[in-house]
Amino acid sequence: MTRLFACLAFAPLVAVSSWAQSPAASALPYSPSLDPASMDRTVDPCVDFYTYSCGGWQKKNPIPPDQTSWSVYGKLYQDNLVFLRGILEDAAAAKEPRNQVTREIGDFYGACMNESLVNQRGLAAIQPQLDAIAGLRSVHDLAPLLATLTLPGGRTLLFSAGSAQDPDDSEQQIANLGQGGLGLPDRDYYTKDDPKSKEIRERYLQHAQNVFQLIGDSPATAKQQAQTVMRIETAMAKASLTRVERRDPYKITHKMKVSELDKLAPNFNWAAYFSASAVPPFEILNVSSPEFFKQLNTQLAGVSLADWKSYLRFHVANTNAPYLSSAFVNENFDFYRKYLHGAKELQPRWKRCVEWVDDELGEALGQAYVRKTFPPELKDATLKMTREIEDAMALRIQQLDWMSPATKQQALNKLHSIRNKVGYPDKWRDYSSVKILPDDFYGNSERATEFESHREFNKVGKPTDRTEWGMTPPTVNAYYDPQMNDINFPAGVLQPPLYDAKEDDAPNYGDTGSTIGHELTHGFDDEGRQYDAKGNLKDWWTTQDAEQFVKHANCVSDQYAQYVVIDDIHINSKLTEGEDIADLGGTILAYIAWKDADKGMTLADRDGLTPDQRFFVGFAQWACENDRPEDLRARAITDPHSPAKYRVNGVVVNVPEFGPAFGCKPGSPMVKPADKVCKVW
Ligand SMILES: [Zn+2]
């Protein structure tokens, strides 16, 4: 959760969707936040509440061929893409004079959609980078070269680098280095010994060989170089922290002087790297995984210049592949999205182009999006709900039976310091310095990446800007940032069916209320609780209260460890612990807030459901989803969230009001004995 430069060396896997030829939309379609037709009332809610709430949806919504999974969130994201496509097509076709934002997003989209020009340009788009690698004269010169090789989407070679809040003083930005440099989605892919992991590595070798052949190498040379890439990456993977380790803020906090970094990895010319990256001068930085950089240092001494060139050529071509000609795009799709995640078809180009505009110019596109989808009334209503959920949290903290008054005071202090960010940023990012041409897709993307990289590095040594957002307005997602101590809800996640002004309170609190409560609870999960009200990594717990927290949190992780994802793979519940705690806390807070908001009102049954039942079905229906086995397998390694079914069933078994709402008998699968119920917040 520390804000780093992301280093995802694989194709983005945002859940988007079907309707390849669907026309651009001028408004978002409507679907209700509680849809009785999405339920399967033949299923006993006391036995499997998820299928009771979502069984109808699952039957009616097969996974579109271009998707890796399909869900209520994914479908809304798809609706957003169709809608944004309309905005972008208009912007691309508009006659001059256009305003600055319209010109930026219109030309970026138009250039991206010119597929024949992209194909015509082919490999030439990355030839300057390949030439620079070919010209590398010694391993010592690697550092300044790395600084000039720009990969799309802020991805970096060998390691990640950027700025982050100082863990001891969240008001200040410092430089930050992290592990990276792998072509598979996680270090575990290189270290696990089961047959499936071995098969994936064989397929990855083949993929790497294909990429080398695409950039002009003979099959024999390509095969040899693929093995070189695998050898270098395996050594780096073994020295990388696991995802579970990275959830411990103390394991990723190692502040040091630049001189200490020079001692840690003397074979890399750090001064040259930071200077070529135009990072403002600094003395202290955070190195999130020192062991990784020690290993990198060993590799720098032991790997030949020729092998480094192979490694760099592969990563430049592989990471850029989605932005290049069809042969590259297809090879990338075949390995990452099709083989690893099970998609059957490549997404149509317009979808990829809309996503790229959102990635690269998100706060330009976002302006047009919120103007059409996020009126002030919606902002007021969702902000009001956020405050109510915070009041519920305050009440809950005061009533906790396992926490001392001293720690409660600290927790309340932290709660009251949380900043609520709803809809969109107060000030928009200005992209006017990025040169965007109507006929240069790769160049546009490269310049947008350089802009972002420079913006990120340029923060070093400066005060933190607390108004910044880590997600764009159309994003169908939300987040809590422990160092900012803020909760963020983009306009995209506050649309029907997630937030539905046409429906009664019950399903809205069940759905959006639970999401708000989820993000709020992240401030107090096993990771977030280690940061104080200012967002500093500082222990505010008494020893006894901390022990109590761990005991209660273990109840949750022990419960989720029992659940099977697919075949014999169980949930890695130490990876999902924070999300599972947030899911439980969020629903409890939403229930309390709803009861308070509707206090004194006589609530009627609707659709054959009591108000309490509507709350719980509304909650469950955010998570309706169909999954592919390949995607479940991949997400079991990389996704900190539990599979959708358990994000519902795993929660309701711990909510005491659930059983009575559905008249469940004691001993039903969805009702735990009172002494087994997990309660954290
Ligand atoms: Zn979460």
Side-chain angles (χ1 to χ4, degrees):
M1 292 203 279
T2 315
R3 305 276 296 277
L4 301 173
F5 239 21
C7 185
L8 305 166
F10 55 99
L13 282 159
V14 193
V16 283
S17 86
S18 74
W19 308 344
Q21 300 307 322
S22 57
S26 58
L28 284 170
Y30 171 74
S31 42
S33 67
L34 194 164
D35 188 355
S38 292
M39 300 170 65
D40 181 351
R41 297 200 205 215
T42 66
V43 174
D44 183 348
C46 304
V47 173
D48 178 358
F49 185 59
Y50 179 72
T51 309
Y52 167 81
S53 304
C54 288
W57 189 97
Q58 289 179 304
K59 279 186 208 116
K60 283 185 296 183
N61 289 280
I63 306 173
D66 66 346
Q67 295 304 301
T68 58
S69 66
W70 194 228
S71 62
V72 167
Y73 266 52
K75 208 171 167 181
L76 176 54
Y77 185 74
Q78 163 66 35
D79 292 343
N80 268 345
L81 288 184
V82 176
F83 180 68
L84 294 170
R85 180 191 188 183
I87 292 173
L88 289 168
E89 285 180 350
D90 288 350
K95 293 214 166 62
E96 303 297 345
R98 293 175 293 178
N99 68 32
Q100 187 194 314
V101 164
T102 307
R103 194 189 54 74
E104 284 165 359
I105 60 178
D107 284 352
F108 195 106
Y109 181 75
C112 180
M113 286 303 288
N114 193 342
E115 193 169 13
S116 63
L117 193 61
V118 171
N119 280 334
Q120 222 178 312
R121 196 170 177 205
L123 187 59
I126 55 166
Q127 197 59 52
Q129 299 198 62
L130 296 175
D131 290 345
I133 295 167
L136 184 66
R137 285 212 218 114
S138 73
V139 177
H140 186 74
D141 292 337
L142 199 61
L145 174 65
L146 276 190
T148 59
L149 299 174
T150 51
L151 301 185
R155 288 160 206 168
T156 45
L157 283 154
L158 278 181
F159 52 83
S160 65
S163 55
Q165 282 168 272
D166 183 338
D168 301 316
D169 177 7
S170 65
E171 297 300 333
Q172 285 299 317
Q173 294 284 326
I174 58 171
N176 200 322
L177 292 177
Q179 65 194 39
L182 308 179
L184 284 166
D186 189 85
R187 46 99 61 210
D188 286 1
Y189 282 91
Y190 299 84
T191 57
K192 285 169 65 173
D193 257 344
D194 59 286
K196 187 70 192 173
S197 300
K198 287 179 182 161
E199 179 204 298
I200 291 172
R201 287 197 288 274
E202 283 307 311
R203 290 289 292 260
Y204 179 55
L205 275 172
Q206 183 59 55
H207 164 67
Q209 182 181 337
N210 295 348
V211 171
F212 279 117
Q213 285 181 236
L214 283 173
I215 53 177
D217 296 334
S218 72
T221 313
K223 189 171 181 179
Q224 205 179 10
Q225 292 186 98
Q227 278 154 356
T228 299
V229 168
M230 182 61 106
R231 201 170 55 243
I232 295 174
E233 290 186 10
T234 303
M236 301 207 295
K238 284 181 179 161
S240 296
L241 294 171
T242 66
R243 280 177 198 262
V244 172
E245 287 167 332
R246 271 149 57 202
R247 294 196 63 252
D248 178 348
Y250 289 96
K251 287 211 168 89
I252 54 166
T253 300
H254 308 276
K255 276 166 69 177
M256 56 181 78
K257 292 186 185 133
V258 177
S259 57
E260 290 170 293
L261 173 65
D262 284 332
K263 265 184 224 141
L264 181 73
N267 295 331
F268 192 80
N269 189 344
W270 293 105
Y273 174 77
F274 288 121
S275 158
S277 303
V279 186
F282 63 91
E283 280 169 21
I284 302 278
L285 79 162
N286 183 51
V287 177
S288 67
S289 41
E291 285 306 314
F292 174 85
F293 286 92
K294 255 189 224 166
Q295 177 60 38
L296 177 62
N297 194 59
T298 306
Q299 295 280 302
L300 287 167
V303 173
S304 71
L305 179 64
D307 285 354
W308 278 121
K309 288 183 180 180
S310 298
Y311 172 87
L312 296 176
R313 290 170 78 235
F314 169 69
H315 278 279
V316 165
N318 189 47
T319 315
N320 278 299
Y323 299 74
L324 302 177
S325 52
S326 300
F328 285 90
V329 171
N330 292 335
E331 176 59 36
N332 191 270
F333 166 76
D334 281 346
F335 180 70
Y336 288 104
R337 228 174 131 88
K338 186 176 182 184
Y339 172 67
L340 284 183
H341 289 269
K344 306 287 179 224
E345 286 174 10
L346 180 65
Q347 294 193 104
R349 189 162 185 92
W350 71 263
K351 283 192 195 175
R352 288 174 277 143
C353 289
V354 173
E355 288 191 323
W356 282 322
V357 181
D358 186 40
D359 281 353
E360 315 274 16
L361 303 172
E363 292 196 12
L365 181 59
Q367 295 178 40
Y369 177 78
V370 298
R371 223 175 4 253
K372 297 192 175 190
T373 63
F374 203 68
E377 311 85 79
L378 182 55
K379 183 161 181 161
D380 291 346
T382 47
L383 205 50
K384 175 175 163 284
M385 188 185 268
T386 306
R387 295 200 184 103
E388 290 168 1
I389 303 281
E390 285 170 341
D391 290 344
M393 184 76 177
L395 188 71
R396 192 79 179 164
I397 290 171
Q398 279 152 354
Q399 291 173 348
L400 270 191
D401 53 9
W402 56 263
M403 188 183 266
S404 70
T407 306
K408 279 183 184 179
Q409 199 44 53
Q410 296 289 332
L412 288 167
N413 183 24
K414 174 164 182 175
L415 172 67
H416 294 136
S417 304
I418 289 176
R419 187 183 290 248
N420 301 330
K421 282 151 70 179
V422 174
Y424 54 91
D426 291 337
K427 61 171 196 249
W428 296 102
R429 194 160 297 159
D430 175 8
Y431 300 100
S432 58
S433 63
V434 185
K435 192 163 114 191
I436 295 163
L437 302 172
D439 57 359
D440 183 13
F441 168 57
Y442 188 82
N444 291 341
S445 175
E446 195 174 33
R447 288 183 290 270
T449 295
E450 279 162 9
F451 167 82
E452 177 56 22
S453 161
H454 183 69
R455 197 185 68 80
E456 195 57 42
F457 274 133
N458 206 33
K459 292 186 207 166
V460 171
K462 300 196 173 64
T464 297
D465 176 1
R466 292 192 181 262
T467 66
E468 246 191 76
W469 281 65
M471 281 179 185
T472 65
T475 307
V476 187
N477 207 342
Y479 70 97
Y480 168 76
D481 184 325
Q483 288 187 283
M484 290 285 196
N485 196 27
D486 64 10
I487 47 177
N488 301 260
F489 305 96
V493 82
L494 299 171
Q495 306 293 329
L498 303 177
Y499 184 84
D500 180 1
K502 292 198 177 97
E503 285 281 338
D504 52 323
D505 278 349
N508 275 322
Y509 279 83
D511 189 322
T512 293
S514 293
T515 303
I516 296 168
H518 172 105
E519 300 310 337
L520 197 61
T521 307
H522 269 317
F524 304 88
D525 71 14
D526 58 319
E527 191 175 6
R529 77 173 185 90
Q530 307 197 58
Y531 294 85
D532 70 7
K534 291 191 173 123
N536 294 329
L537 189 54
K538 197 170 162 198
D539 192 358
W540 45 273
W541 295 66
T542 66
T543 312
Q544 205 181 4
D545 288 333
E547 280 168 14
Q548 281 293 315
F549 175 87
V550 171
K551 197 181 102 190
H552 287 86
N554 282 345
C555 174
V556 174
S557 60
D558 290 348
Q559 176 192 324
Y560 281 78
Q562 307 298 317
Y563 297 140
V564 173
V565 179
I566 184 167
D567 300 336
D568 58 347
I569 302 175
H570 283 242
I571 291 179
N572 179 0
S573 67
K574 283 294 168 193
L575 176 63
T576 62
E577 183 173 334
E579 298 297 339
D580 299 333
I581 289 172
D583 282 341
L584 174 57
T587 303
I588 288 171
L589 295 179
Y591 187 85
I592 295 170
W594 169 53
K595 285 287 165 179
D596 192 54
D598 284 5
K599 195 169 48 192
M601 289 162 61
T602 314
L603 304 178
D605 292 2
R606 280 171 75 169
D607 309 315
L609 297 167
T610 66
D612 267 50
Q613 290 173 342
R614 291 178 67 74
F615 172 89
F616 286 110
V617 174
F619 155 65
Q621 286 191 346
W622 82 261
C624 298
E625 181 165 322
N626 280 314
D627 296 300
R628 296 190 192 279
E630 296 90 341
D631 192 52
L632 283 174
R633 190 178 284 280
R635 276 157 58 190
I637 297 175
T638 57
D639 192 348
H641 304 89
S642 293
K645 178 179 180 175
Y646 304 120
R647 296 192 68 181
V648 171
N649 287 352
V651 166
V652 295
V653 295
N654 289 318
V655 178
E657 290 82 0
F658 174 78
F662 288 89
C664 299
K665 293 197 189 72
S668 307
M670 293 292 102
V671 178
K672 274 190 192 177
D675 63 335
K676 295 275 187 293
V677 166
C678 300
K679 175 184 169 187
V680 187
W681 293 100

